[in-house]
Amino acid sequence: MSALRTFAVSLTIPDNEAFTALETLARLGIPVGRVARADVWQFEVEGAPGDLAAAVASFETIFNPNKHRLAERASERPEPGEVWIAPRDEAPATLVAGRPIPGVRAIRRRTSCSTRRAATSRPTCSPAPSRRFSATPRSRWQYYDHGDGPSAAASCVERNLVARSDVGAPRCAASWGARSLGRSAFKMTMMVETLAQRSARKSGVGEMYTIATLGSHSALQILKGGHDEGFKTLAIANEETQRLYRSFAFIDEVITIERYSDFMGLVPELEKRKIIIVPHGSFVAYLSLEEHKKMNIPYFGNKAVLDWEASRELQRQWLLRAGLKLPRQFKTGAEIDRPVIVKLYGAQGGKGYMFLRDTRDFEERASLLARQNYILQEYIIGVPLYIHYFYSPLTGRLEVMSMDRRYETNVDSLGRIPSAAQVGMDIDPSYVVVGNQPLSLRESMLAEAYRMGEDVVRVSQEICGPKGLFGAFCIETIITPDTQFYIMEISARIVAGTNLFIDGSPYSYLNYSEPMSTGRRIAREIKNALLSNSLDAVLDDGFTEPPA
Ligand code: ATP
């Protein structure tokens, strides 16, 4: 005896394709209140197949617990207002991701779309006795509905929703429907999905806001991400950089100031516009903490974290409280009982750092350090790894976005000269960053990396709560031969190492299956906040709406 079991897999996170469909339907003048998408899996089972739901949930290609909901349906047919779409004349499969499911004889996958009317919340396609029908003969797709007959439902689907476009991937079908109507105004919405060069911006909530940042550091990534999520984009550049930023089609506007440190002069003008500032490393370099706090422009992130990040002492307290391992610190040269690195305050990219072997070494070079502020930190011998995270205040979930290591001169080249040959050469290691290399972490160490990120976020909510640290951040580590992570530093915003991953990283791909840079992830968070009417959750609390 065989039976048909039906499972629906839907997103628990906001669904961008459904949102685009909704927008396009609105542009078509079709008053739809909600569009929902799901993957529907039908399994023809023989006998008693055991726990089929658990077997289905074990396939990552079907179900990712971080973003999906899996529910078995009582009926093997679409619900009222729902349409299932599948390739025409599709033969059932017997394997998923190359694997059989015990007890399952045949597998069919459909994409489900359902729409609700805006005001009434009734289905857009009216329900009637269930039956299968075919769409127009030239369509590549077959439609199944709860059943108000071929004409009404087919036209509903053809005009309003098609879950797959010609290019194959499931996407907003409203666009497809718009194209079949030949209405050029809507073609644009459709084309942004399929064009390799996206010069047109997606429509949506993003059109209301402009994502702005300083033209430097990771601005290209941030603005490309903003553009891809449908925002207008603004780069604030200087005379040297403005031509570069103007050369990118995804940057809608470039404002030129003489020096980046003049940024505060522009603030009153920016405050009048619907702008969201996405800060990066150069903001910290060019603007003081006070200036950061003074500007009353919506700001992605929590400025309260800046105090904890900027002070080496407070940062140390934060990381220790999170249970992270830190290199020992020595107050005076006399205390040094192992190799140390001398870190100058305010240095950037490791410039001017010094390696000292012992107290004697310190005394010999003390004159170089006179009148400088520095710390003496235990030198950890191991592999440096910079882990890029994103914490979403909307979902309460931490994501590992990517990882890199820095390529530093000359410390990374000392191994190229045999140590015997180095004797007497008087080479001092230096730590000047020249670039970044991508890395993936041994998977058995990934759980620890994830835990560190979670602990840092948890403690941040205690020390600068309630929002704490959110958005992009980076923990800079050195991993010793016994696979212990020692923490050098935390950066509470997007770091330049993420520029390696403008097209996404192996880790972001696992979560998104589409190119997802950290810059784009930031823009998506802002968009999701706008869609769920919770923009406050992703902006610094210091922002006050200017009087109307
Ligand atoms: P940025 O602000 O750009 O992150 P920075 O000037 O704060 O850089 P760090 O990232 O703290 O500098 O360190 C620069 C480099 O010095 C590191 O990439 C690493 O190679 C080396 N380094 C820092 N701390 C240690 C340590 N405790 N042990 C060994 N090497 C270290």
Side-chain angles (χ1 to χ4, degrees):
M1 257 284 278
S2 73
L4 199 59
R5 306 258 307 261
T6 304
F7 289 83
V9 179
S10 53
L11 280 174
T12 51
I13 56 176
D15 184 337
N16 288 295
E17 284 169 21
F19 174 74
T20 312
L22 190 67
E23 277 288 303
T24 312
L25 290 174
R27 285 177 172 224
L28 285 167
I30 299 162
V32 171
R34 195 174 71 93
V35 173
R37 273 186 334 133
D39 276 339
V40 172
W41 294 83
Q42 291 200 301
F43 303 100
E44 214 174 295
V45 297
E46 258 179 318
D51 189 348
L52 185 57
V56 172
S58 72
F59 282 88
E60 272 179 41
T61 43
I62 299 183
F63 174 72
N64 174 347
N66 290 327
K67 59 178 183 185
H68 289 142
R69 183 184 303 114
L70 174 72
E72 180 156 12
R73 294 264 184 103
S75 165
E76 60 192 51
R77 299 214 170 80
E79 293 170 348
E82 184 184 23
V83 178
W84 289 354
I85 303 133
R88 178 181 284 281
D89 305 325
E90 158 212 48
T94 50
L95 307 174
V96 177
R99 278 202 281 147
I101 306 180
V104 171
R105 202 165 64 177
I107 304 163
R108 289 187 179 80
R109 180 184 179 175
R110 281 95 177 65
T111 299
S112 144
C113 285
S114 34
T115 56
R116 299 264 152 191
R117 277 192 205 285
T120 59
S121 224
R122 276 190 289 112
T124 309
C125 304
S126 60
S130 187
R131 69 184 161 111
R132 180 183 161 161
F133 66 90
S134 295
T136 53
R138 61 193 163 79
S139 171
R140 291 167 56 200
W141 310 108
Q142 200 124 18
Y143 306 99
Y144 306 83
D145 79 344
H146 182 74
D148 60 346
S151 55
S155 82
C156 167
V157 172
E158 289 269 299
R159 277 184 32 242
N160 303 342
L161 292 172
V162 175
R164 290 158 197 263
S165 74
D166 312 272
V167 289
R171 31 177 118 250
C172 163
S175 325
W176 190 91
R179 186 175 53 174
S180 70
L181 286 179
R183 298 175 55 175
S184 56
F186 308 123
K187 249 185 202 166
M188 226 178 69
T189 318
M190 166 190 69
M191 296 308 284
V192 289
E193 285 290 356
T194 51
L195 281 179
Q197 290 268 334
R198 297 179 179 193
S199 52
R201 195 184 322 114
K202 281 190 198 172
S203 63
V205 283
E207 277 182 348
M208 301 189 304
Y209 278 90
T210 297
I211 299 265
T213 198
L214 220 47
S216 158
H217 193 269
S218 45
L220 290 173
Q221 184 195 154
I222 290 169
L223 298 178
K224 174 76 165 78
H227 171 85
D228 286 349
E229 291 301 308
F231 290 95
K232 287 180 264 182
T233 53
L234 162 65
I236 295 130
N238 62 21
E239 283 300 343
E240 285 96 76
T241 58
Q242 51 107 356
R243 282 183 49 248
L244 169 77
Y245 288 100
R246 283 186 209 285
S247 75
F248 289 99
F250 57 85
I251 301 179
D252 297 313
E253 190 185 352
V254 176
I255 297 180
T256 307
I257 52 180
E258 207 176 316
R259 287 176 303 266
Y260 284 143
S261 47
D262 295 341
F263 176 79
M264 287 308 284
L266 195 64
V267 166
E269 187 187 324
L270 298 181
E271 281 173 352
K272 290 188 207 130
R273 298 175 49 174
K274 279 203 133 182
I275 276 178
I276 297 175
I277 290 276
V278 175
H280 51 58
S282 298
F283 274 83
V284 193
Y286 293 112
L287 265 61
S288 67
L289 283 190
E290 289 64 40
E291 285 173 326
H292 256 88
K293 289 179 185 168
K294 238 196 283 167
M295 76 173 139
N296 195 22
I297 309 172
Y299 176 99
F300 179 79
N302 179 0
K303 292 181 194 169
V305 177
L306 293 174
D307 295 319
W308 286 83
E309 186 200 21
S311 148
R312 286 201 195 262
E313 192 37 49
L314 288 178
Q315 189 178 120
R316 201 171 165 84
Q317 282 177 28
W318 172 12
L319 299 176
L320 283 173
R321 206 160 136 182
L324 272 49
K325 274 196 199 62
L326 303 186
R328 274 194 58 185
Q329 247 162 233
F330 302 94
K331 287 202 180 68
T332 61
E335 284 176 29
I336 297 174
D337 62 358
R338 65 194 74 192
V340 294
I341 181 162
V342 183
K343 296 185 164 190
L344 304 181
Y345 275 66
Q348 285 213 319
K351 222 170 179 175
Y353 283 14
M354 231 190 262
F355 171 83
L356 300 179
R357 214 178 300 184
D358 48 30
T359 302
R360 218 181 74 197
D361 209 3
F362 175 82
E363 281 159 4
E364 277 169 15
R365 302 217 246 161
S367 61
L368 297 174
L369 296 169
R371 288 187 298 279
Q372 305 229 45
N373 282 326
Y374 58 85
I375 54 167
L376 299 171
Q377 194 174 80
E378 172 185 5
Y379 191 91
I380 306 292
I381 300 177
V383 166
L385 176 77
Y386 291 67
I387 311 168
H388 318 140
Y389 301 88
F390 187 92
Y391 176 71
S392 163
L394 300 178
T395 62
R397 195 166 64 92
L398 178 76
E399 296 162 33
V400 172
M401 294 302 299
S402 46
M403 294 173 199
D404 78 301
R405 65 167 292 201
R406 290 182 181 181
Y407 200 39
E408 294 167 342
T409 182
N410 60 7
V411 71
D412 286 322
S413 58
L414 292 182
R416 301 174 64 180
I417 306 171
S419 58
Q422 288 183 32
V423 176
M425 280 178 75
D426 199 21
I427 304 173
D428 271 332
S430 60
Y431 301 87
V432 176
V433 180
V434 290
N436 304 75
Q437 297 171 325
L439 267 184
S440 70
L441 182 61
R442 206 168 123 185
E443 193 149 324
S444 59
M445 295 164 74
L446 204 51
E448 175 65 4
Y450 192 79
R451 185 196 63 76
M452 294 191 311
E454 284 183 312
D455 287 340
V456 159
V457 170
R458 177 179 48 75
V459 172
S460 75
Q461 290 166 352
E462 293 162 15
I463 57 177
C464 38
K467 286 185 174 174
L469 172 67
F470 66 83
F473 66 100
C474 170
I475 302 184
E476 305 179 358
T477 74
I478 298 186
I479 308 170
T480 52
D482 52 353
T483 66
Q484 300 292 311
F485 289 86
Y486 281 83
I487 313 306
M488 288 185 276
E489 202 170 64
I490 181 166
S491 294
R493 72 195 63 68
I494 185 169
V495 291
T498 60
N499 284 339
L500 286 167
F501 306 102
I502 288 185
D503 213 23
S505 81
Y507 298 104
S508 70
Y509 186 77
L510 293 171
N511 272 327
Y512 292 96
S513 307
E514 66 177 317
M516 184 58 68
S517 68
T518 294
R520 184 169 184 184
R521 182 66 189 83
I522 291 170
R524 183 158 295 183
E525 190 76 356
I526 296 171
K527 185 165 95 177
N528 288 343
L530 285 164
L531 287 173
S532 54
N533 204 17
S534 36
L535 190 58
D536 281 356
V538 302
L539 299 181
D540 179 66
D541 285 335
F543 170 66
T544 45
E545 195 78 55

